[in-house]
Amino acid sequence: MKFNKLSLFSKALTVALATSVLGVGLGTTAEARTLKVQTSSTASHFTLAFLNEKWVPKLKEMTGGSLEIELLPIKAVVPHRETPEAVAMGILDGDLTSINYFAGRDPSFALMGDLIAGYDSADQIQTFCADGGGKEMLQKMYDKFQPGVHVVGCGAYAREAFVSKVPIRSVADFSGVKVRSPEGLASEVFRRAGASPVSLPGSEVYTSLEKGVIDAADNSAYANNDANGLHKVAKFPIFPGIHSTPILQFTVSQSAWDKMTPAERAALETWYVAAYNDMRRIVDMEDRAVVARDKAAGDITVIDWPQEERDKFREIAVGAWKDFAASSPMATEVYESHISFMKKLGLLKADF
């Protein structure tokens, strides 16, 4: 089953424009509300700047000025692993952050946050979230583990690139390498590949590479890594990435959701889908442009793994999926949801 990226974007854009027109009818007399949303991006991230400059103003336009959003960098209000509690309690109005951060609550968050090496593209993951049951599964997880959190949407905008101070050209080269990785499933895959995983937030990757706390990091999109200066200290990036296509969640507190009108809710959901579709395309273009620049300059060695090594790494990941799926009833449900959708895409055989 193949998906046309342009048609998906066009569909989202059409809905967004329709909702924008609807927003005019919301009226400008309603009291304006601003949603304070903490993200998992550092202040210098390309993606945070993109959303703030292009998409944050659009929500105000789409709702006739009744609803606005403020996107805050990681740790601006609370530690990165505590955003669900902060959202449920009303300390934050919402979060736009990595689901992987909450793997300590239940293994299902690791499987939902990133089915390591499972999907081929961010587009497939966005479709899983929007049309394959992913959003509904995430809401079920929050209803069980953190009531008071409403899931607006989930998705991915890029397959993460990989930064490294040492050349890693194969699975065998991971032996003994200290790799920054989110806790849970991601760390387990690296461990099985022979690496030594270290759990760190993205904001600490640069100093940890510089000081030798880690040798490499599965960190973010290539453009984000470039913006954060990571290639200055880690000159052997792997692109396209070999490991993660992390899923980020967009949640708001249930109380904030309940205060919205039906039109505002529709606008917020449409805003998120349109923004992430747009960001996926822009980040891919930016990644490829920066990679081409770095290859031409010659100071950085961009490594592209051969398919046979990618296949070896995927085999390692599959074993970790199965073990994590057996670790809790909710993890089993998440695993089965992923597998069912991946079979529809043809990424797994029907008899898997």
Side-chain angles (χ1 to χ4, degrees), residues 85-282:
E85 294 95 334
V87 170
M89 294 171 63
I91 297 171
L92 288 168
D93 294 309
D95 73 0
L96 182 56
T97 189
S98 173
I99 300 171
N100 270 324
Y101 287 154
F102 317 124
R105 296 165 178 262
D106 186 80
S108 58
F109 285 91
L111 285 166
M112 178 57 72
D114 191 348
L115 192 67
I116 305 302
Y119 291 98
D120 288 336
S121 69
D123 180 58
Q124 292 171 348
I125 291 175
Q126 285 187 319
T127 307
F128 166 68
C129 280
D131 302 310
K135 174 184 174 181
E136 291 76 14
M137 181 59 65
L138 184 59
Q139 184 65 66
K140 186 174 183 178
M141 291 158 60
Y142 274 110
D143 289 345
K144 179 177 177 61
F145 297 108
Q146 188 68 67
V149 173
H150 179 85
V151 178
V152 178
C154 60
Y157 63 82
R159 189 168 194 176
E160 289 192 340
F162 194 90
V163 293
S164 180
K165 296 173 68 174
V166 297
I168 302 173
R169 304 180 187 278
S170 66
V171 173
D173 288 342
F174 268 124
S175 180
V177 176
K178 294 177 291 184
V179 179
R180 176 266 177 179
S181 175
E183 64 185 34
L185 180 60
S187 292
E188 181 60 21
V189 171
F190 279 120
R191 187 175 293 108
R192 294 186 183 203
S196 299
V198 180
S199 180
L200 292 170
S203 58
E204 297 178 16
V205 169
Y206 184 93
T207 55
S208 296
L209 284 166
E210 193 175 39
K211 295 178 180 179
V213 175
I214 56 175
D215 304 308
D218 190 38
N219 189 63
S220 188
Y222 195 98
N224 281 340
N225 294 338
D226 174 73
N228 286 332
L230 297 183
H231 299 145
K232 295 178 182 178
V233 292
K235 296 183 179 295
F236 297 93
I238 300 173
F239 182 87
I242 56 172
H243 182 252
S244 294
T245 313
I247 301 178
L248 275 68
Q249 63 183 33
F250 179 30
T251 74
V252 296
S253 68
Q254 188 62 50
S255 61
W257 183 256
D258 291 342
K259 293 175 183 176
M260 296 179 199
T261 66
E264 287 173 337
R265 293 174 183 175
L268 188 63
E269 290 175 331
T270 303
W271 174 87
Y272 168 74
V273 171
Y276 254 56
N277 272 325
D278 193 21
M279 187 162 69
R280 186 191 69 245
R281 296 167 57 251
I282 293 298

Side-chain angles (χ1 to χ4, degrees), residues 40-88:
S40 53
S41 300
T42 62
S44 62
H45 261 193
F46 171 86
T47 50
L48 185 56
F50 172 77
L51 290 175
N52 276 325
E53 292 171 10
K54 183 172 182 179
W55 282 96
V56 164
K58 288 185 183 296
L59 182 61
K60 182 178 180 180
E61 296 171 6
M62 293 168 69
T63 60
S66 68
L67 192 64
E68 300 182 45
I69 190 168
E70 180 181 0
L71 299 181
L72 306 169
I74 191 170
K75 298 183 179 180
V77 179
V78 298
H80 62 288
R81 290 190 178 90
E82 297 178 11
T83 55
E85 294 95 334
V87 170

